[in-house]
């Protein structure tokens, strides 16, 4: 699992102090020391991640087989059903609900992350410029991100109620919180409002480490604003942006509280996989609830792996360390020089 | 097995979040199987000593006063108040988790009336002896709601019923002497009232029609008011009847004819209150708690002094309200069952119910308290509420209440939004409920 990547940066300080070639072997004592230092972390991770995961997978193989006896009392037993809980994800009523929730989850993830990225980039570009009141703008942009999701859900619920301000401003009579496309739109708007600042701030941090000389050089070569954006800002900010997008995607995939509070539980238009798992466990069907949770976990894991492997998202920041950093900068510089040269 | 069950509690609430790699997962694990013992738990209420009373919050402080009084008289059998979260779902979840691990922490449980069947059938609460509550002095529906398969499992603590709020000023202006008792009378009254210049832009009626427990309430009331029922005494669904169809059609036609405001499908209690308070509807079905804010004379209510209440309408006469409220029950896993039973008797006695009325507006289970002039002076809606409660019926008494109410909400919502016609919705609802009750 990705737990290993989480612990990877730990030996970093040693490397930083004493840069070592790739082939240098570790002394046995060093390895033991590292293992000892890491063991509390690993233990906690095993306790809060590995154990619940295995337990959830185990639970998803069982199903409560309850019935009523003649006096109306529940006769309960738990039967091992193998993969039946998973098979049920694709047939009948439960299958319909699962596919609907799966579709919603994917739809929300794609749309919100896309909008957030575009908006976040714009925010970062705006904040990156030197102008009066910049620090005030930066602080104010953070506000939506600081509001707890459940609270922002309530806030938007007021905005979107039938006689709320959204309808007043639009002059419309849209029932945002009823089943239908409008409720999807309401969730997307509220989610983007809340999380675009997150991407904005991360990207801003990435932009601020781009050296000013690169831009000066580009200016001297006659590159306009758009050219600078496309050839300098975006390529150099890409590693940060990818991390931000990855974080947002994984977060969006387990979206729960916003649709729950804003639109309400049990509304199929906005039901996500997390909500479905909650609903199942609320109805004491722990087997299928676990199956939903496991599927969601696999989905999230696949997305994470694809992102890290294919797009080369640098989650741990390892590439940006030491020599590599300079090298990549040099690469970029040569690349942009090449770009200039080809003009 | 016991160990495994304990893990269950920890796991259910565990949301595991892989932070650095940001892989996240909601883990719900665990089990609570263990075949239940078949011996009748009616056995014995034995053991005296300190107990815990687990309940929703009582902001009025009235429940605390009762407990203080008990504790002063029973220093050896002290009762500790354990407060649960405000959300009913969370309360239910905590109570069930404690029952599944057979924890002896919770002794006396405060249960929503609709949970009675589920808790009783799972043997998470004990059958009470006949003399635990003075059933003949209580409103029959409240005792009915505390009963599962003819056995008393809970002691009615407080109750709630629907009230029918109407704009008495508009009725008067339209020359209508008495408030409507049936849906037809209400429709006829609306035709007259909405023709008035002062009622321009108003809608006739609203209840609560958002996809929520409130829709189950409104649907059950409509069906019962039309002479039908959602489930029979055995818990078998009966929504494929002509009466059920008539009931659902009351709601469906209300939307079709424009009698209800079109945004009423997003209404819960609060939105309905605002619609009525802002003068958008003539008639409103809602709970008694609204009465105070509607009659507020500080300018917040546009309808203060202009409205009155009666029982909700039916098809041939007054309608049938559903029942809200709470029951107290004893957990079979607690050590001091004797104290628990004595405490329930004390707490739900008429004397304590009367004392609590000084602080709390929660409606007592005792009919006589509704006629006390001192009480009525303070809560003018009590006599009407009693009428409503005398005619009330509990919501479907089924073991799988969660799944049942969800199925009802889904199909009733589909019908009132016009996604399905009444027949299809009810056929589908019947099929879903049959599947649930067969489990």
């Amino acid at each position: 699992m990705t737990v290993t990547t989480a612990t990877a940066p730990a030996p970093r300080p040693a490397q930083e102090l004493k840069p070592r070639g790739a082939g240098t072997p570790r002394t046995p004592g060093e390895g033991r020391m590292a293992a000892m230092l890491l063991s509390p972390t690993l233990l906690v991770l095993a306790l809060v991640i590995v154990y619940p995961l295995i337990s959830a997978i185990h639970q998803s193989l069982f199903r409560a087989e309850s019935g009523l006896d003649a006096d109306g009392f529940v006769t309960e037993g738990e039967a091992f059903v193998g993969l039946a809980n998973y098979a049920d994800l694709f047939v009948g009523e439960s299958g319909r609900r699962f596919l609907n929730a799966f579709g919603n989850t994917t739809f929300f993830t794609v749309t919100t992350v896309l909008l957030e990225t575009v908006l976040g980039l714009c925010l970062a570009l705006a904040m990156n410029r030197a102008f009066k009141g910049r620090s005030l703008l930066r602080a104010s942009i953070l506000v939506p991100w600081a509001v707890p999701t459940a609270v922002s859900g309530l806030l938007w619920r007021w905005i979107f109620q039938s006689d709320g301000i959204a309808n007043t401003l639009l002059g419309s009579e849209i029932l945002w919180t009823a089943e239908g496309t409008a409720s999807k739109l309401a969730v997307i708007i509220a989610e983007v409002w809340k999380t675009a600042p997150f991407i904005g701030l991360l990207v801003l941090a990435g932009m601020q480490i781009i050296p000013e000389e690169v831009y000066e050089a580009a200016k001297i070569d006659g590159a306009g604003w758009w050219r600078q954006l496309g050839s300098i800002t975006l390529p150099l900010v890409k590693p940060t942006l990818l991390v931000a997008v990855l974080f947002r995607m994984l977060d969006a995939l387990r979206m729960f509280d916003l649709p729950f509070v804003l639109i309400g539980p049990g509304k199929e238009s906005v039901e996500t996989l997390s909500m479905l798992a909650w609903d199942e466990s609320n109805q004491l069907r722990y087997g299928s609830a676990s199956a939903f949770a496991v599927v969601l976990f696999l989905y999230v894991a696949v997305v994470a792996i694809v992102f890290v492997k294919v797009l080369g998202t640098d989650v741990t920041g390892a590439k940006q360390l030491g020599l590599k950093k300079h090298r990549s900068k040099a690469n970029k510089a040569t690349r942009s020089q090449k770009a200039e040269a080809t003009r | 097995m016991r160990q495994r069950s304990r893990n269950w509690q920890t796991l259910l609430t565990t949301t595991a979040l892989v932070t650095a790699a940001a892989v996240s997962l909601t883990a719900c694990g665990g089990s609570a199987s263990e075949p239940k013992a078949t011996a009748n738990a009616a056995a014995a209420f034995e053991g005296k000593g300190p107990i815990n009373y687990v309940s929703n919050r009582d902001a009025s402080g009235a429940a605390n006063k009762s407990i203080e009084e008990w504790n002063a008289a029973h220093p050896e059998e002290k009762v500790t108040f354990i407060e649960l979260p405000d959300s009913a779902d969370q309360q239910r979840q905590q109570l069930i988790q404690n029952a599944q691990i057979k924890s002896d922490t919770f002794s006396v449980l405060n249960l929503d009336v609709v949970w009675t069947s589920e808790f009783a059938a799972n043997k998470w609460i004990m059958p009470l002896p006949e003399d635990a509550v003075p059933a003949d002095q209580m409103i029959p529906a409240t005792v009915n709601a505390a009963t599962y398969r003819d056995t008393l499992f809970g002691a009615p603590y407080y109750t709630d019923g629907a009230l029918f709020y109407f704009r008495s000023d508009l009725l008067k202006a339209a020359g209508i002497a008495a408030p409507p008792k049936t849906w037809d009378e209400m429709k006829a009254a609306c035709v007259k009232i909405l023709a008035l210049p002062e009622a321009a832009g108003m809608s006739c009626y609203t209840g609560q029609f958002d996809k929520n427990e409130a829709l189950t309430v409104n649907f059950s009331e409509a069906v019962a008011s039309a002479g039908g029922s959602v489930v029979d005494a055995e818990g078998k669904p009966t929504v494929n009847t002509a009466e059920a169809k008539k009931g659902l059609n009351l709601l469906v036609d209300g939307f079709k004819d424009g009698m209800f405001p079109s945004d009423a499908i997003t209404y819960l209690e609060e939105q309905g209150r605002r619609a009525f308070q802002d003068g958008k509807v003539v008639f409103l079905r809602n709970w008694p708690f609204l009465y105070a804010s509607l009659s507020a004379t500080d300018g917040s209510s546009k309808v203060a002094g202009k409205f009155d209440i009666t029982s909700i309408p039916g098809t041939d006469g007054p309608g049938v309200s559903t029942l809200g409220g709470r029951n107290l029950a004893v957990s079979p896993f607690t050590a001091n069952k004797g104290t628990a039973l004595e405490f329930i008797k004390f707490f739900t006695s008429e004397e304590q119910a009367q004392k609590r009325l000084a602080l709390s507006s929660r409606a007592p289970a005792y009919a006589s308290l509704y006629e006390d002039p001192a009480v009525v002076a303070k809560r003018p809606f009590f006599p009407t509420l009693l009428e409503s409660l005398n005619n009330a019926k509990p919501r479907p008494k089924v073991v799988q209440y969660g799944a049942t109410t969800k199925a009802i909400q889904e199909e009733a919502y589909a019908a009132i939004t016009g996604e399905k016609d009444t027949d299809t919705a009810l056929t589908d609802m019947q099929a879903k409920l049959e599947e649930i009750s067969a489990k």
Side-chain angles (χ1 to χ4, degrees):
Chain A
M1 227 187 60
T2 32
V3 174
T4 43
T5 46
T7 54
R12 193 193 302 160
Q15 283 180 343
E16 271 176 354
L17 287 175
K18 190 175 60 168
R20 172 167 46 195
T24 319
R26 283 200 182 90
T27 65
E30 209 178 343
R32 212 175 304 134
M33 185 68 176
M36 247 169 64
L37 289 173
L38 282 179
S39 57
T41 319
L42 289 177
L43 198 75
V44 170
L45 286 178
L47 208 68
V48 302
I49 295 165
V50 181
Y51 175 64
L53 178 62
I54 292 172
S55 172
I57 293 174
H58 177 250
Q59 181 64 37
S60 71
L61 305 177
F62 289 85
R63 184 180 289 170
E65 311 243 309
S66 61
L68 294 184
D69 64 18
D71 297 325
F73 289 111
V74 171
T75 52
E76 204 183 16
E78 204 169 49
F80 178 81
V81 291
L83 294 177
N85 281 328
Y86 293 94
D88 277 358
L89 298 182
F90 302 99
V91 289
E93 173 70 12
S94 61
R96 198 186 54 76
R97 280 188 74 195
F98 168 74
L99 290 177
N100 172 58
F102 190 83
N104 281 342
T105 307
T106 312
F107 174 74
F108 282 139
T109 305
V110 171
T111 49
T112 60
V113 173
L114 205 72
L115 288 169
E116 282 157 29
T117 310
V118 173
L119 211 66
L121 261 175
C122 297
L123 284 176
L125 286 171
M127 289 188 288
N128 198 27
R129 296 190 149 187
F131 59 88
K132 227 179 168 183
R134 184 169 75 157
S135 46
L136 190 75
L137 179 72
R138 280 187 193 172
S140 60
I141 273 175
L142 251 184
V143 170
W145 180 248
V147 176
T149 313
V151 176
S152 75
L154 269 181
L155 234 134
W156 283 97
R157 198 184 164 98
W158 287 332
I159 292 174
F160 282 129
Q161 60 192 13
S162 59
D163 56 350
I165 189 143
N167 276 344
T168 314
L169 285 179
L170 295 172
S172 58
E173 284 181 17
I174 301 169
L175 300 179
W176 297 92
T177 57
E179 291 266 24
T181 325
S183 62
K184 285 192 169 71
L185 197 60
V187 169
I188 292 173
I189 292 172
E191 174 78 0
V192 169
W193 171 83
K194 181 173 164 54
T195 49
F198 172 79
I199 294 198
L201 280 171
L202 278 191
V203 172
L204 176 65
M207 279 179 184
Q208 295 202 320
I209 56 165
I210 302 175
E212 199 52 41
E213 309 91 73
V214 187
Y215 287 105
E216 278 165 18
K219 256 183 224 156
I220 292 167
D221 290 343
W225 188 83
W226 285 106
R227 180 78 201 194
Q228 286 178 28
L229 178 70
S231 302
I232 301 172
T233 314
L234 286 185
L236 289 183
V237 97
K238 194 184 127 200
T240 329
L241 185 64
L242 282 180
V243 173
V245 168
L246 175 65
F247 273 44
R248 279 306 314 144
M249 278 182 80
L250 303 185
D251 221 19
L253 282 172
R254 57 179 185 85
M255 188 191 285
F256 175 83
D257 31 11
L258 188 67
F260 192 93
V261 178
L262 175 58
I263 311 295
K267 298 262 175 77
E268 288 193 357
S269 314
V270 296
E271 193 164 56
T272 63
L273 283 174
S274 303
M275 290 166 83
L276 199 53
W278 172 85
D279 187 56
E280 287 293 302
S281 79
N282 202 28
Q283 297 190 18
L284 311 184
R285 292 197 289 260
Y286 300 116
S288 54
S290 300
F292 286 130
V294 169
V295 169
L296 176 60
F297 162 72
L298 290 177
Y299 190 21
V300 172
V302 165
V303 170
I305 290 166
V306 165
F307 235 80
V308 173
K309 293 282 175 204
V310 177
L311 292 174
T313 312
D314 185 13
V315 179
T316 58
K319 286 186 204 158
Q320 287 191 354
L321 286 172
L323 290 167
K324 281 182 181 171
K325 187 177 173 185
H326 297 298
R327 206 184 303 143
S328 73
K329 247 190 204 168
N331 279 345
K332 294 258 164 67
T334 19
R335 212 185 298 151
S336 61
Q337 277 164 11
K338 271 184 201 155
E340 292 300 315
T342 51
R343 276 191 351 154
Chain B
M1 184 56 84
R2 190 182 167 87
Q3 184 57 41
R4 200 174 149 217
S5 300
R6 278 201 191 284
N7 296 335
W8 179 97
Q9 194 194 8
T10 342
L11 288 188
L12 185 81
T13 46
T14 301
T15 303
L17 221 170
V18 183
T19 43
V23 170
S24 56
L25 140 93
T26 314
C28 311
S31 88
S33 50
E34 189 155 352
K36 304 278 184 217
T38 39
N40 195 339
F45 287 91
E46 283 164 357
K48 303 258 174 190
I51 56 167
N52 291 320
Y53 166 58
V54 203
S55 165
N56 56 345
R57 203 160 58 98
D58 182 5
S60 71
N64 286 3
K65 269 216 156 141
S66 287
I67 292 173
E68 276 164 26
E69 199 182 321
W70 165 273
N71 284 346
H74 302 83
E76 300 293 310
E77 300 167 55
K78 278 217 156 66
V79 173
T80 312
F81 191 118
I82 297 182
E83 203 171 87
L84 292 180
D86 272 345
S87 141
D89 273 333
Q90 282 179 32
Q91 291 170 22
R92 175 174 157 271
Q93 225 161 28
Q94 284 202 17
L95 291 170
I96 290 179
Q97 281 167 22
N98 265 274
Q100 286 183 327
I101 60 168
K102 303 194 188 316
S103 154
D104 56 5
T105 319
F106 293 179
S107 322
V108 174
L109 315 181
N110 175 331
L111 302 177
D112 194 301
V113 283
V114 295
W115 305 336
T116 309
S117 302
E118 181 179 28
F119 276 71
N122 281 293
K123 294 184 179 158
W124 293 330
I125 51 178
M126 294 174 73
L128 297 180
E130 292 277 311
D131 64 344
V133 296
D136 49 334
Q137 291 162 42
M138 290 180 157
I139 300 165
T142 64
V143 180
N144 179 0
T147 307
Y148 176 67
R149 302 260 173 135
D150 299 328
T151 310
L152 187 72
F153 275 87
Y157 167 17
Y158 60 88
T159 184
D160 215 352
L163 289 182
F164 188 57
Y165 295 81
F166 61 92
R167 289 286 299 275
S168 46
D169 59 330
L170 294 176
L171 254 68
K172 209 173 155 192
I176 301 162
K181 283 200 163 50
T182 66
W183 280 75
D184 288 336
E185 282 176 37
M186 177 169 83
K187 279 184 201 170
C190 277
V191 172
K192 282 191 196 166
I193 291 170
L194 297 182
L196 296 172
E198 59 259 49
M202 286 179 85
S203 293
C204 178
Y205 168 89
T206 189
Q208 294 76 40
F209 303 112
D210 197 358
K211 209 186 212 179
N212 181 280
E213 181 63 25
L215 181 59
T216 305
V217 167
N218 279 262
F219 171 77
S220 308
E221 283 178 352
V223 170
S225 296
S229 66
V230 178
V231 297
D232 64 12
E234 299 277 270
K236 295 263 173 286
T238 52
V239 288
N240 53 359
T241 57
E243 288 83 8
K245 187 179 170 186
K246 209 167 154 190
L248 181 56
N249 269 337
L250 292 175
L251 307 181
V252 172
D253 293 343
F255 278 103
K256 255 190 215 156
D257 305 344
M259 244 175 80
F260 303 175
S262 58
D263 59 350
I265 54 164
T266 65
Y267 280 14
L268 291 177
E269 284 80 357
E270 179 59 16
Q271 286 84 352
R273 175 190 69 79
R274 278 192 307 146
F276 188 78
Q277 196 163 306
D278 294 345
K280 286 185 191 154
V281 289
V282 183
F283 298 103
L284 169 74
R285 176 250 171 254
N286 215 317
W287 304 100
F289 77 92
L290 247 66
Y291 195 88
S293 64
L294 290 181
S295 29
T297 47
D298 57 1
S300 60
S301 170
K302 286 185 195 164
V303 296
K306 293 180 185 169
F307 76 97
D308 209 343
I309 45 170
T310 182
S311 300
I312 58 168
T315 45
D316 302 317
V320 178
S321 163
T322 59
L323 204 72
R326 295 270 177 161
N327 299 324
L328 297 193
V330 180
S331 158
F333 312 115
T334 184
N336 300 319
K337 299 187 185 72
T339 303
L341 181 64
E342 287 310 310
F343 173 69
I344 285 188
K345 283 185 186 170
F346 165 85
F347 193 84
T348 59
S349 67
E350 183 164 1
E351 189 197 349
Q352 287 301 317
Q354 185 166 22
K355 281 185 183 168
R356 280 195 298 272
L357 269 178
L359 288 175
S360 164
S361 63
R362 284 169 176 172
Y366 292 92
S368 59
L369 295 177
Y370 290 78
E371 280 143 10
D372 181 347
V375 173
V376 175
K378 218 171 147 191
R379 304 182 214 290
F381 57 86
F382 261 30
T384 315
L385 179 58
L386 180 62
E387 258 173 61
S388 168
L389 290 171
N390 276 333
N391 203 14
K393 284 207 177 111
R395 269 166 278 172
K397 285 166 72 175
V398 289
V399 178
Q400 306 257 15
Y401 187 76
T404 302
T405 183
K406 207 171 157 59
I408 293 174
Q409 289 168 35
E410 259 165 35
E411 298 304 327
Y413 191 84
I416 59 174
T417 51
E419 197 189 309
K420 288 182 182 175
D421 61 55
T422 313
D423 283 321
T424 319
L426 287 177
T427 312
D428 291 355
M429 191 189 292
Q430 176 78 10
K432 277 186 185 173
L433 295 182
E434 270 168 12
E435 199 194 322
I436 294 165
S437 66
K439 270 179 192 165

